[in-house]
Amino acid sequence: MCIRDSLCKDSGSTAALAHCTSQFNGTNGVCSLLGSSVFLSRSVLSRNGFSGAVAHGNGSYLSMSDCESTENQHCGASALELGSVYARTCSLRHSGQAGALAQGEGSLMSLEECAADDNLRHGLE
């Protein structure tokens, strides 16, 4: 499956995606908003305008397993303003700012066996 525009889910919805590609989007490759959950496995998120994957807002959750999120303008993965991201065995490399970003009060970024190097500023911010 190829995702042409950011997948944004909200209002308690859930999406599970495997073997997907999301690239060249103006903002994010995949986005979980306000109480929604997105589960990604074996997917490629690259060359997006902000982040490969984002959990933004209270209760938003994004899980990534065996994914590659590289060459994004800002970050490989972002947890913003009470959002939570869990990444396991992922490559979060070659992005404009950081491989992984947790920003805002209550945001949570959990990385397990991930590569977050060769980013312009930081591996984890």
Side-chain angles (χ1 to χ4, degrees):
M1 173 192 284
C2 182
I3 301 169
R4 297 267 180 232
D5 296 311
S6 299
L7 170 68
C8 294
K9 292 286 186 181
D10 60 5
S11 301
S13 57
T14 301
L17 305 167
H19 301 283
C20 294
T21 300
S22 183
Q23 57 188 11
F24 304 112
N25 292 297
T27 54
N28 304 304
V30 174
C31 186
S32 171
L33 297 173
L34 300 173
S36 66
S37 299
V38 175
F39 298 88
L40 287 171
S41 64
R42 297 175 301 280
S43 296
V44 176
L45 313 167
S46 66
R47 299 182 182 149
N48 293 293
F50 181 72
S51 189
V54 173
H56 186 207
N58 191 16
S60 61
Y61 179 75
L62 179 76
S63 173
M64 302 169 66
S65 177
D66 301 314
C67 293
E68 180 179 313
S69 186
T70 59
E71 298 180 43
N72 295 289
Q73 290 292 317
H74 194 64
C75 299
S78 303
L80 305 174
E81 303 186 21
L82 298 172
S84 297
V85 173
Y86 171 73
R88 183 177 187 278
T89 60
C90 293
S91 176
L92 307 170
R93 304 171 131 178
H94 306 293
S95 289
Q97 181 171 342
L101 170 72
Q103 182 175 327
E105 186 176 338
S107 296
L108 176 66
M109 175 67 63
S110 177
L111 304 176
E112 183 181 330
E113 298 181 39
C114 293
D117 55 346
D118 293 328
N119 295 289
L120 191 60
R121 292 182 58 195
H122 306 284
L124 175 62
E125 185 173 325

